């Protein structure tokens, strides 16, 4: 019996189960599919159903995840960014800056606990709280973040993202009197997030061939210029390719990308030793809390000085911390349909820049002696 084939079957089943639970039950939607899948895989590994190591894991960790990053970055249409106003871009700039300040502060406060892993952890979480899961996974892999820290950070990340969404939904009402009233802006029309679209065979073939070509070229360029990580080449080439008009007619990028990323979390869960996770859990939650709440203080504090709209600041904050999907939830929850397009575009802009900023922050932390 082919053990690797059985393992593939189990991992794919766990991924499908996690996605189904998220779709079917409200409590699961709050947890998020990535955390559910990680927990399911960790339980299976710790009771002996899944092996701790396998060549299958290496394939998913290295190749499948890279392809997923390419597919999701192909959603980023930089022309949409040009349609945003100065205020929206400035608000997102403050949100990104706040995340970097928070990651730096957390690194200083918790360096004695995480030691050499501090830059890896800070860079990965900064990428997550500027972009999203694809950036967290991409930067974490590029920086060789351990499975243990990946698991702990994923748990803390999901918890803080949920808390912050609840916070940003209430903050505009609480803080409105400190911010100047703003006129209603025009709605921004952007490309939607096609995670549930039907995938035609031709589109599937083109997306597979494009992603493999981008990955192969990125690895080749890294061999020629070893100082530039493969992830930087992967991000840059994917974003360049995404600007061609014909790319937007391909269906299935979002679905393929999200499934590949969720499959990655089965590998992280399988490599997690639960008894080892418990001691680091609380410190990881505190680490992420410092990042997110510093992000909030910087975003809303500088925003009031620059006289930005509090609703726009909350949207930009959520686009950074949670990504495009939670930005949509923010606009919907605040009954601001005209901000839906802005939220999606800012979230996709985060996808585009977060890998670069996360890697740069990790490098800087190493230079100043926090590594």
């Amino acid at each position: 019996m082919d053990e690797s084939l059985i393992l593939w079957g189990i991992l794919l089943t766990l991924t499908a189960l996690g996605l189904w639970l998220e779709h079917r039950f409200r409590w699961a939607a709050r947890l998020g599919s990535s955390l559910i899948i990680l927990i399911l895989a960790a339980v299976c590994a710790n009771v002996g159903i899944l092996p701790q190591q396998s060549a299958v894991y290496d394939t998913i960790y290295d190749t499948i995840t890279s392809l997923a990053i390419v597919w999701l970055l192909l959603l980023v249409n930089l022309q949409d960014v040009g349609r945003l106003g100065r205020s929206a871009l400035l608000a997102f700039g403050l949100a990104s800056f706040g995340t970097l300040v928070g990651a730096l502060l957390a690194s200083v406060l918790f360096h004695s606990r995480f030691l050499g892993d501090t830059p890896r952890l800070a860079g990965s979480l900064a990428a997550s709280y500027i972009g999203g899961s694809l950036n967290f996974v991409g930067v974490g892999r590029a920086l060789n973040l351990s499975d243990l820290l990946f698991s702990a950070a994923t748990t803390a990340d999901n918890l803080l993202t949920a808390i912050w969404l609840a916070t940003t939904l209430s903050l505009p009402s609480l803080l409105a009197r400190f911010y100047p009233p703003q006129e209603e802006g025009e709605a921004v029309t952007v490309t939607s997030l096609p995670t549930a679209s039907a995938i035609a065979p031709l589109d599937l073939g083109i997306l597979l061939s494009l992603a493999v070509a981008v990955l192969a070229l990125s690895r080749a360029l890294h061999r020629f210029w070893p100082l530039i990580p493969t992830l930087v080449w992967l991000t840059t080439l994917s974003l360049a390719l995404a600007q061609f008009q014909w790319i937007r007619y391909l269906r299935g990028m979002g679905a393929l990308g999200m499934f590949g990323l969720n499959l990655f979390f089965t590998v992280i869960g399988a490599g997690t030793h639960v008894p080892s996770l418990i001691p680091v859990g609380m410190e990881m939650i505190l680490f992420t809390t410092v990042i997110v709440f510093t992000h909030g203080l910087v975003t809303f504090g500088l925003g009031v000085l620059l006289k930005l709209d509090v609703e726009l600041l909350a949207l930009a904050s959520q686009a950074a911390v949670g990504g495009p999907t939670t930005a949509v939830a923010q606009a919907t929850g605040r009954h601001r349909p005209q901000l839906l397009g802005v939220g999606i575009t800012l979230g996709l802009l985060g996808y585009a820049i977060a890998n670069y900023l996360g890697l740069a922050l990790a490098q800087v932390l190493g230079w100043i002696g926090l590594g």
Side-chain angles (χ1 to χ4, degrees):
M1 188 175 293
D2 191 338
E3 293 183 359
S4 64
L5 189 60
I6 293 174
L7 181 56
W8 273 110
I10 295 173
L11 297 179
L12 291 169
T13 300
L14 291 176
T15 304
L17 178 58
L19 291 168
W20 177 78
L21 288 171
E22 181 187 48
H23 177 74
R24 180 66 177 80
F25 299 103
R26 184 172 296 179
W27 62 266
R30 292 194 183 101
L31 285 177
S33 59
S34 59
L35 180 57
I36 293 171
I37 291 166
L38 188 152
I39 292 171
L40 291 173
V43 170
C44 289
N46 281 267
V47 299
I49 297 174
L50 292 177
Q52 293 289 326
Q53 295 181 333
S54 170
V56 172
Y57 299 157
D58 297 334
T59 300
I60 295 172
Y61 189 92
D62 188 28
T63 303
I64 301 297
T65 305
S66 296
L67 296 177
I69 290 171
V70 174
W71 288 319
L72 289 172
L73 287 175
L74 289 178
L75 294 169
V76 180
N77 180 6
L78 294 178
Q79 291 179 0
D80 288 338
V81 177
R83 300 189 185 105
L84 295 177
R86 170 185 169 274
S87 295
L89 291 174
L90 181 57
F92 190 74
L94 291 180
S96 301
F97 176 67
T99 294
L100 294 174
V101 172
L104 176 61
L105 178 60
S107 298
V108 172
L109 294 176
F110 293 95
H111 175 251
S112 60
R113 171 61 183 87
F114 295 107
L115 301 175
D117 286 317
T118 303
R120 299 185 184 95
L121 189 57
S124 301
L125 287 170
S128 179
Y129 293 140
I130 293 173
S133 295
L134 80 92
N135 306 101
F136 171 63
V137 171
V139 173
R141 287 168 59 250
L143 297 174
N144 296 315
L145 191 67
S146 69
D147 285 353
L148 176 64
L149 291 181
F150 249 127
S151 297
T154 299
T155 304
D157 181 19
N158 278 272
L159 175 63
L160 265 296
T161 298
I163 291 173
W164 193 245
L165 176 58
T167 302
T168 55
L169 284 171
S170 60
L171 277 179
S173 298
L174 296 174
L175 301 178
R177 67 180 184 276
F178 299 108
Y179 293 82
Q182 300 288 325
E183 295 182 359
E184 294 286 334
E186 294 184 358
V188 176
T189 303
V190 299
T191 306
S192 60
L193 297 175
T195 55
S197 59
I199 305 176
L202 177 59
D203 292 349
L204 179 60
I206 293 173
L207 289 172
L208 287 169
S209 61
L210 284 176
V212 170
V214 168
L215 177 57
L217 182 56
S218 299
R219 290 175 175 174
L221 290 170
H222 174 63
R223 284 194 291 271
F224 279 107
W225 289 280
L227 291 178
I228 301 178
T230 301
L231 179 63
V232 172
W233 290 117
L234 194 76
T235 303
T236 304
L237 293 173
S238 300
L239 290 174
L241 190 60
Q243 306 320 302
F244 288 96
Q245 185 71 31
W246 57 270
I247 286 288
R248 288 160 214 143
Y249 295 103
L250 299 175
R251 292 168 293 174
M253 289 178 284
L256 287 169
M258 291 310 298
F259 189 84
L261 275 189
N262 278 291
L263 187 59
F264 166 82
F265 284 103
T266 64
V267 176
I268 298 303
T272 300
H273 185 238
V274 173
S276 301
L277 180 62
I278 296 172
V280 76
M282 182 53 65
E283 289 164 320
M284 186 66 71
I285 291 173
L286 293 174
F287 193 100
T288 54
T289 299
V290 169
I291 296 177
V292 171
F293 281 91
T294 302
H295 153 93
L297 288 173
V298 170
T299 302
F300 288 95
L302 293 181
V304 71
L305 295 178
L306 295 173
K307 299 181 179 180
L308 295 176
D309 178 21
V310 68
E311 295 282 0
L312 189 58
L313 288 169
L315 182 76
S317 173
Q318 196 51 237
V321 171
T325 52
T326 56
V328 169
Q330 174 72 26
T332 303
R334 292 294 304 171
H335 306 290
R336 300 285 176 138
Q338 75 276 13
L339 292 179
L340 281 172
V342 177
I344 292 173
T345 305
L346 291 178
L348 293 176
L349 176 61
Y351 282 177
I353 66 174
N355 288 344
Y356 302 113
L357 294 177
L359 291 171
L361 175 65
Q363 189 68 52
V364 169
L365 292 175
W367 286 340
I368 64 177
L370 291 177

